[in-house]
C-alpha cells in the first residue's frame, strides 16, 4: 500500500504532466519498485493495437463547364463539360471497433473517392479494406478488413463526459505511426463550426490533446482505455495544432455505424420542427427560468413531432434524459439517430416540465441533377434538405466549379427555401414551380445563418 505522501506526489506529477485518472481507475503504479513513476503505458499497450494507419489511393474527378462561345465555334457535337481526372494519395487513421467482424471506423473525408484503401496494423500487417458505408454530413465511414487476431477498443458512452475529463488522442499524424498525446475535454457540444460543411451534423468534443493532419479518424480515449470520440479536425490558422481539436462523440458515431451495418447507409431521423436556440434575451422575453435549450417556433403537419404532442412555443431541454444546450445540438442528435427510433424528449411548456415520446420519421433525400429543372441551374445537384434552424428546403449537395449554377452564386450546402416569396420545402416542389413558371425567379437561399436572394433571368 502506498503511503499518502507518495500517492499525493504521484497525483501531482500526473496533473503537472497533463495526465490524471477517471474516478473509477486506480492510481497507475506498476511493478514492485516504488521508485517507478506513474505511467499510462500499460493501458496504451492494450488499446493501441486497435488504432490503425490508413492509406488511400484514388482519382479526383473535376468537371468544368465549356463556355457557349466554344460550342458555337466547334459545333453541336462538343460536350457540355470537360472532365478532368487527377490521381491522389492520402493518409489517415482508424479505430477497430469489432475484432470478430473486422469493422474499422474512420472519417469519411479520409476515404472519400478512394479506389484503394489499405489498413496497416501495429504488428506490421497490411490489409485491403472495403468501405461498407459512409455519411458525408457527419464525416463517418465504416470499413471492413478480413484478418484474425485483431484487437478492438471498447466504446464508452460519450454523453457521460464532463469538461475537464482527461483524454488521450492516438493516431498517425503526418504518417508517423502510433503517436499518443494527452489533454483534457475543453468543451462539449461544439456546433456551427462548418468543419464538415454547411448543413452538416456537428456535436463535437473539443480537446487540447495535440491533433494534427493524419490524426483524422483516430481514437480519443479516456484513461480507462475506452473510446469516447473519433478525432476529426483541428482549428488553426496554418493547419497546425494550436490546442483546439475536435472529435465526433462515440455515442453519435455508434448510432451512425449501427445504421450503416443494418442498411448499408444512414437513414436519418426527422422530428419535423422549425426552431432556434434559446438564449437569455428570448428567455427573458418569455419569462422562462432557463437560458439553454431548443425553442420550437413551428411544428410541421403530420410530422413525428405533431404526432408526439410537441407544440409551437415548447422548449426542448433533453433527449432520452441527456441535456441539450441548443437547437443545433438537438438537430445533430436527432439527425444521427435512425428513422423509426423512439426518443423521449423533455420539454418546458408554460412553466411546466413535460415528457413526450416521439417515433422519428425518415429524412428522405434524393439527389436530382439541376439541369432537369432549369438551364441556369446546371452544374448543381439538389436534394431535400434543411437549414441549421430545421427549415425544410432544397439543398445544393454538389456543385461543379464555374458552372452556370456556380456563376449564379450558389454554393455547396446552400438551402433554397423559397421562390418569388413562395415557400419551397422539397425538390418536388421546386420542380413543380419551375415547370409552370416563366420569367424572372428570385431564389431565397439560406447559407448557414445568412439569408440572401439570387435572381434567375
Amino acid at each position: 500500500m502506498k503511503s499518502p505522501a507518495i500517492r499525493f506526489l504521484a497525483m501531482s506529477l500526473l496533473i503537472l504532466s497533463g495526465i490524471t485518472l477517471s474516478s473509477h481507475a486506480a492510481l497507475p503504479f506498476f511493478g514492485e519498485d516504488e521508485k517507478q513513476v506513474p505511467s499510462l503505458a500499460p493501458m496504451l499497450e492494450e488499446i493501441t493495437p486497435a488504432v490503425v494507419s490508413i492509406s488511400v489511393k484514388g482519382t479526383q474527378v473535376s468537371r468544368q463547364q465549356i463556355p457557349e462561345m466554344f460550342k458555337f465555334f466547334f459545333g453541336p457535337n462538343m460536350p457540355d463539360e470537360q472532365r478532368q481526372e487527377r490521381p491522389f494519395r492520402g493518409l489517415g487513421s482508424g479505430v477497430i471497433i469489432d475484432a470478430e467482424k473486422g469493422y474499422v471506423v474512420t472519417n469519411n473525408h479520409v476515404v472519400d473517392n478512394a479506389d484503394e484503401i489499405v489498413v496497416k496494423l501495429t504488428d506490421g500487417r497490411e490489409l485491403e479494406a472495403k468501405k461498407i458505408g459512409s455519411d458525408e454530413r457527419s464525416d463517418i465511414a465504416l470499413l471492413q478488413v478480413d484478418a484474425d487476431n485483431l484487437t478492438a477498443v471498447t466504446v464508452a458512452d460519450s454523453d457521460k463526459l464532463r469538461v475537464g475529463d482527461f483524454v488521450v488522442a492516438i493516431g498517425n499524424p503526418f504518417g508517423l505511426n502510433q503517436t499518443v498525446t494527452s489533454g483534457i475535454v475543453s468543451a462539449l457540444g461544439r456546433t456551427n463550426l462548418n468543419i464538415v460543411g454547411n448543413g452538416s451534423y456537428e456535436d463535437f468534443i473539443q480537446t487540447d490533446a495535440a491533433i494534427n493532419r493524419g490524426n483524422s479518424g483516430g481514437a480519443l480515449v479516456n484513461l480507462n482505455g475506452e473510446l469516447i470520440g473519433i478525432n476529426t479536425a483541428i482549428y488553426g490558422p496554418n493547419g497546425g495544432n494550436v490546442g483546439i481539436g475536435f472529435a465526433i462523440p462515440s455515442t453519435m458515431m455508434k448510432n451512425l455505424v449501427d445504421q450503416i451495418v443494418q442498411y448499408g447507409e444512414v437513414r436519418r431521423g426527422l422530428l419535423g420542427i422549425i426552431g432556434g436556440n434559446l438564449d437569455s434575451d428570448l428567455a427573458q422575453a418569455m419569462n422562462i427560468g432557463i437560458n439553454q435549450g431548443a425553442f420550437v417556433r413551428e411544428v410541421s403537419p403530420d410530422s413525428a413531432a405533431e404526432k408526439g404532442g410537441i407544440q409551437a412555443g415548447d422548449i426542448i431541454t433533453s433527449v432520452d434524459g441527456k441535456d441539450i444546450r441548443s437547437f443545433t445540438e438537438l438537430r445533430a442528435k436527432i439527425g444521427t439517430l435512425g428513422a423509426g427510433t423512439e426518443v423521449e424528449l423533455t420539454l418546458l411548456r408554460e412553466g411546466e416540465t413535460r415528457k413526450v415520446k416521439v417515433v422519428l420519421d425518415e429524412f428522405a433525400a434524393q439527389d436530382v441533377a439541376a439541369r432537369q429543372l432549369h438551364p441556369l441551374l446546371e452544374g448543381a445537384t439538389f436534394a431535400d434538405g434543411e437549414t441549421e434552424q430545421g427549415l425544410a428546403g432544397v439543398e445544393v449537395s454538389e456543385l461543379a466549379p464555374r458552372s452556370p449554377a456556380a456563376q449564379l452564386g450558389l454554393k455547396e450546402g446552400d438551402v433554397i427555401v423559397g421562390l418569388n416569396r413562395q415557400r419551397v420545402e422539397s425538390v418536388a416542389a421546386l420542380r413543380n414551380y419551375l415547370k409552370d413558371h416563366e420569367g424572372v425567379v428570385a431564389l431565397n437561399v439560406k447559407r448557414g445563418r445568412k439569408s440572401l436572394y439570387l435572381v434567375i433571368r
Side-chain angles (χ1 to χ4, degrees), residues 68-95:
E68 291 295 330
M69 61 178 294
F70 286 99
K71 297 180 185 178
F72 175 80
F73 285 110
F74 292 98
N77 293 328
M78 191 171 189
D80 293 333
E81 61 184 18
Q82 183 180 11
R83 187 172 184 270
Q84 294 181 332
E85 296 184 355
R86 183 174 58 188
F88 71 89
R89 294 172 179 262
L91 295 172
S93 306
V95 185

Short mmCIF file of all heavy atoms in Angstrom, two decimals, residues 68-95:
data_model
loop_
_atom_site.label_atom_id
_atom_site.label_comp_id
_atom_site.label_asym_id
_atom_site.label_seq_id
_atom_site.Cartn_x
_atom_site.Cartn_y
_atom_site.Cartn_z
N GLU A 68 -20.34 28.72 -73.91
CA GLU A 68 -21.18 28.62 -75.10
C GLU A 68 -20.45 29.09 -76.36
O GLU A 68 -20.71 28.59 -77.45
CB GLU A 68 -22.46 29.45 -74.90
CG GLU A 68 -23.42 28.90 -73.86
CD GLU A 68 -23.99 27.56 -74.29
OE1 GLU A 68 -24.13 27.33 -75.51
OE2 GLU A 68 -24.27 26.74 -73.40
N MET A 69 -19.51 30.05 -76.22
CA MET A 69 -18.82 30.55 -77.41
C MET A 69 -17.98 29.44 -78.06
O MET A 69 -17.86 29.38 -79.29
CB MET A 69 -17.92 31.74 -77.05
CG MET A 69 -16.84 31.44 -76.04
SD MET A 69 -15.78 32.88 -75.71
CE MET A 69 -15.00 33.08 -77.30
N PHE A 70 -17.42 28.52 -77.26
CA PHE A 70 -16.65 27.42 -77.83
C PHE A 70 -17.57 26.43 -78.53
O PHE A 70 -17.22 25.86 -79.57
CB PHE A 70 -15.83 26.71 -76.74
CG PHE A 70 -14.64 27.50 -76.28
CD1 PHE A 70 -14.70 28.24 -75.12
CD2 PHE A 70 -13.46 27.50 -77.01
CE1 PHE A 70 -13.61 28.97 -74.70
CE2 PHE A 70 -12.37 28.23 -76.60
CZ PHE A 70 -12.43 28.98 -75.43
N LYS A 71 -18.75 26.21 -77.96
CA LYS A 71 -19.72 25.33 -78.62
C LYS A 71 -20.14 25.89 -79.96
O LYS A 71 -20.38 25.15 -80.92
CB LYS A 71 -20.95 25.14 -77.72
CG LYS A 71 -20.66 24.47 -76.39
CD LYS A 71 -21.94 24.34 -75.58
CE LYS A 71 -21.65 23.78 -74.21
NZ LYS A 71 -22.88 23.68 -73.38
N PHE A 72 -20.23 27.22 -80.05
CA PHE A 72 -20.62 27.86 -81.31
C PHE A 72 -19.57 27.62 -82.39
O PHE A 72 -19.89 27.32 -83.54
CB PHE A 72 -20.81 29.37 -81.08
CG PHE A 72 -21.10 30.14 -82.33
CD1 PHE A 72 -22.39 30.16 -82.88
CD2 PHE A 72 -20.10 30.84 -82.99
CE1 PHE A 72 -22.65 30.86 -84.04
CE2 PHE A 72 -20.35 31.54 -84.15
CZ PHE A 72 -21.63 31.56 -84.68
N PHE A 73 -18.27 27.73 -82.01
CA PHE A 73 -17.20 27.57 -83.00
C PHE A 73 -16.95 26.11 -83.36
O PHE A 73 -16.61 25.80 -84.51
CB PHE A 73 -15.90 28.21 -82.48
CG PHE A 73 -15.90 29.70 -82.55
CD1 PHE A 73 -15.96 30.45 -81.39
CD2 PHE A 73 -15.87 30.35 -83.78
CE1 PHE A 73 -15.98 31.83 -81.45
CE2 PHE A 73 -15.88 31.74 -83.84
CZ PHE A 73 -15.94 32.49 -82.68
N PHE A 74 -17.09 25.18 -82.39
CA PHE A 74 -16.71 23.79 -82.64
C PHE A 74 -17.89 22.88 -82.92
O PHE A 74 -17.71 21.68 -83.11
CB PHE A 74 -15.90 23.26 -81.44
CG PHE A 74 -14.56 23.92 -81.32
CD1 PHE A 74 -14.37 24.96 -80.44
CD2 PHE A 74 -13.48 23.52 -82.11
CE1 PHE A 74 -13.14 25.59 -80.32
CE2 PHE A 74 -12.24 24.13 -81.99
CZ PHE A 74 -12.07 25.18 -81.10
N GLY A 75 -19.09 23.43 -82.91
CA GLY A 75 -20.24 22.64 -83.36
C GLY A 75 -21.00 21.97 -82.24
O GLY A 75 -20.56 21.92 -81.10
N PRO A 76 -22.18 21.44 -82.56
CA PRO A 76 -23.08 20.87 -81.55
C PRO A 76 -22.57 19.57 -80.93
O PRO A 76 -23.10 19.13 -79.92
CB PRO A 76 -24.37 20.63 -82.34
CG PRO A 76 -23.92 20.46 -83.76
CD PRO A 76 -22.74 21.37 -83.93
N ASN A 77 -21.59 18.92 -81.57
CA ASN A 77 -21.08 17.66 -81.04
C ASN A 77 -20.12 17.84 -79.86
O ASN A 77 -19.71 16.87 -79.22
CB ASN A 77 -20.37 16.85 -82.13
CG ASN A 77 -21.35 16.39 -83.20
OD1 ASN A 77 -22.52 16.13 -82.90
ND2 ASN A 77 -20.88 16.30 -84.44
N MET A 78 -19.77 19.09 -79.62
CA MET A 78 -18.87 19.35 -78.49
C MET A 78 -19.63 19.10 -77.18
O MET A 78 -20.77 19.52 -77.01
CB MET A 78 -18.38 20.80 -78.53
CG MET A 78 -17.25 21.07 -77.55
SD MET A 78 -16.53 22.70 -77.79
CE MET A 78 -15.10 22.57 -76.72
N PRO A 79 -19.01 18.38 -76.20
CA PRO A 79 -19.71 18.08 -74.94
C PRO A 79 -19.97 19.35 -74.13
O PRO A 79 -19.33 20.38 -74.32
CB PRO A 79 -18.73 17.15 -74.21
CG PRO A 79 -17.40 17.48 -74.79
CD PRO A 79 -17.65 17.82 -76.24
N ASP A 80 -20.92 19.25 -73.19
CA ASP A 80 -21.29 20.39 -72.36
C ASP A 80 -20.21 20.71 -71.32
O ASP A 80 -20.11 21.84 -70.86
CB ASP A 80 -22.61 20.13 -71.64
CG ASP A 80 -23.78 20.07 -72.62
OD1 ASP A 80 -23.68 20.70 -73.68
OD2 ASP A 80 -24.77 19.40 -72.30
N GLU A 81 -19.44 19.72 -70.92
CA GLU A 81 -18.44 19.94 -69.89
C GLU A 81 -17.17 19.14 -70.18
O GLU A 81 -17.19 18.16 -70.92
CB GLU A 81 -18.99 19.54 -68.52
CG GLU A 81 -19.37 18.08 -68.41
CD GLU A 81 -20.00 17.74 -67.07
OE1 GLU A 81 -20.43 18.67 -66.38
OE2 GLU A 81 -20.05 16.55 -66.73
N GLN A 82 -16.08 19.63 -69.62
CA GLN A 82 -14.79 18.97 -69.75
C GLN A 82 -14.51 18.22 -68.45
O GLN A 82 -14.61 18.78 -67.37
CB GLN A 82 -13.69 19.98 -70.01
CG GLN A 82 -12.31 19.36 -70.22
CD GLN A 82 -11.26 20.41 -70.48
OE1 GLN A 82 -11.50 21.59 -70.31
NE2 GLN A 82 -10.08 19.98 -70.89
N ARG A 83 -14.18 16.94 -68.57
CA ARG A 83 -13.95 16.10 -67.39
C ARG A 83 -12.46 15.86 -67.24
O ARG A 83 -11.79 15.41 -68.16
CB ARG A 83 -14.69 14.77 -67.57
CG ARG A 83 -14.69 13.86 -66.36
CD ARG A 83 -15.61 12.68 -66.62
NE ARG A 83 -15.76 11.80 -65.47
CZ ARG A 83 -14.98 10.76 -65.23
NH1 ARG A 83 -14.00 10.46 -66.07
NH2 ARG A 83 -15.17 10.01 -64.17
N GLN A 84 -11.94 16.17 -66.05
CA GLN A 84 -10.52 16.01 -65.77
C GLN A 84 -10.34 15.06 -64.60
O GLN A 84 -11.07 15.14 -63.60
CB GLN A 84 -9.87 17.35 -65.46
CG GLN A 84 -9.84 18.31 -66.64
CD GLN A 84 -9.17 19.62 -66.30
OE1 GLN A 84 -9.17 20.04 -65.15
NE2 GLN A 84 -8.59 20.27 -67.29
N GLU A 85 -9.39 14.15 -64.71
CA GLU A 85 -9.10 13.20 -63.65
C GLU A 85 -7.67 13.42 -63.13
O GLU A 85 -6.75 13.57 -63.93
CB GLU A 85 -9.25 11.76 -64.14
CG GLU A 85 -10.67 11.41 -64.56
CD GLU A 85 -10.80 9.95 -64.96
OE1 GLU A 85 -9.76 9.26 -64.99
OE2 GLU A 85 -11.93 9.50 -65.24
N ARG A 86 -7.54 13.43 -61.81
CA ARG A 86 -6.23 13.65 -61.20
C ARG A 86 -6.03 12.64 -60.08
O ARG A 86 -6.83 12.60 -59.13
CB ARG A 86 -6.15 15.07 -60.66
CG ARG A 86 -4.79 15.43 -60.06
CD ARG A 86 -4.75 16.89 -59.68
NE ARG A 86 -5.81 17.22 -58.73
CZ ARG A 86 -6.10 18.46 -58.36
NH1 ARG A 86 -5.45 19.48 -58.88
NH2 ARG A 86 -7.06 18.67 -57.48
N PRO A 87 -4.99 11.81 -60.16
CA PRO A 87 -4.76 10.82 -59.09
C PRO A 87 -4.34 11.49 -57.79
O PRO A 87 -3.73 12.56 -57.79
CB PRO A 87 -3.63 9.95 -59.66
CG PRO A 87 -2.94 10.83 -60.66
CD PRO A 87 -3.98 11.73 -61.23
N PHE A 88 -4.69 10.86 -56.67
CA PHE A 88 -4.29 11.39 -55.38
C PHE A 88 -3.96 10.25 -54.42
O PHE A 88 -4.38 9.11 -54.61
CB PHE A 88 -5.40 12.27 -54.78
CG PHE A 88 -6.61 11.50 -54.30
CD1 PHE A 88 -6.68 11.01 -53.01
CD2 PHE A 88 -7.69 11.28 -55.16
CE1 PHE A 88 -7.79 10.29 -52.57
CE2 PHE A 88 -8.80 10.58 -54.72
CZ PHE A 88 -8.85 10.08 -53.44
N ARG A 89 -3.21 10.57 -53.38
CA ARG A 89 -2.91 9.65 -52.29
C ARG A 89 -3.19 10.37 -50.98
O ARG A 89 -3.11 11.60 -50.91
CB ARG A 89 -1.44 9.20 -52.31
CG ARG A 89 -1.05 8.36 -53.52
CD ARG A 89 0.45 8.13 -53.55
NE ARG A 89 0.85 7.31 -54.68
CZ ARG A 89 1.07 6.01 -54.62
NH1 ARG A 89 0.94 5.38 -53.44
NH2 ARG A 89 1.43 5.31 -55.68
N GLY A 90 -3.52 9.62 -49.95
CA GLY A 90 -3.81 10.23 -48.66
C GLY A 90 -3.51 9.29 -47.51
O GLY A 90 -3.40 8.07 -47.68
N LEU A 91 -3.34 9.88 -46.33
CA LEU A 91 -3.07 9.13 -45.11
C LEU A 91 -4.04 9.56 -44.02
O LEU A 91 -4.47 10.71 -43.97
CB LEU A 91 -1.64 9.37 -44.62
CG LEU A 91 -0.50 8.87 -45.51
CD1 LEU A 91 0.83 9.38 -44.97
CD2 LEU A 91 -0.51 7.35 -45.59
N GLY A 92 -4.39 8.64 -43.16
CA GLY A 92 -5.26 8.94 -42.04
C GLY A 92 -5.16 7.85 -41.00
O GLY A 92 -4.24 7.03 -41.01
N SER A 93 -6.12 7.84 -40.11
CA SER A 93 -6.15 6.86 -39.02
C SER A 93 -7.52 6.21 -38.96
O SER A 93 -8.47 6.66 -39.58
CB SER A 93 -5.84 7.55 -37.68
OG SER A 93 -4.62 8.27 -37.75
N GLY A 94 -7.61 5.14 -38.19
CA GLY A 94 -8.87 4.44 -38.00
C GLY A 94 -8.86 3.69 -36.69
O GLY A 94 -7.80 3.52 -36.05
N VAL A 95 -10.03 3.21 -36.27
CA VAL A 95 -10.17 2.52 -35.00
C VAL A 95 -10.96 1.23 -35.21
O VAL A 95 -12.05 1.26 -35.79
CB VAL A 95 -10.90 3.39 -33.96
CG1 VAL A 95 -10.91 2.69 -32.60
CG2 VAL A 95 -10.27 4.76 -33.85
#
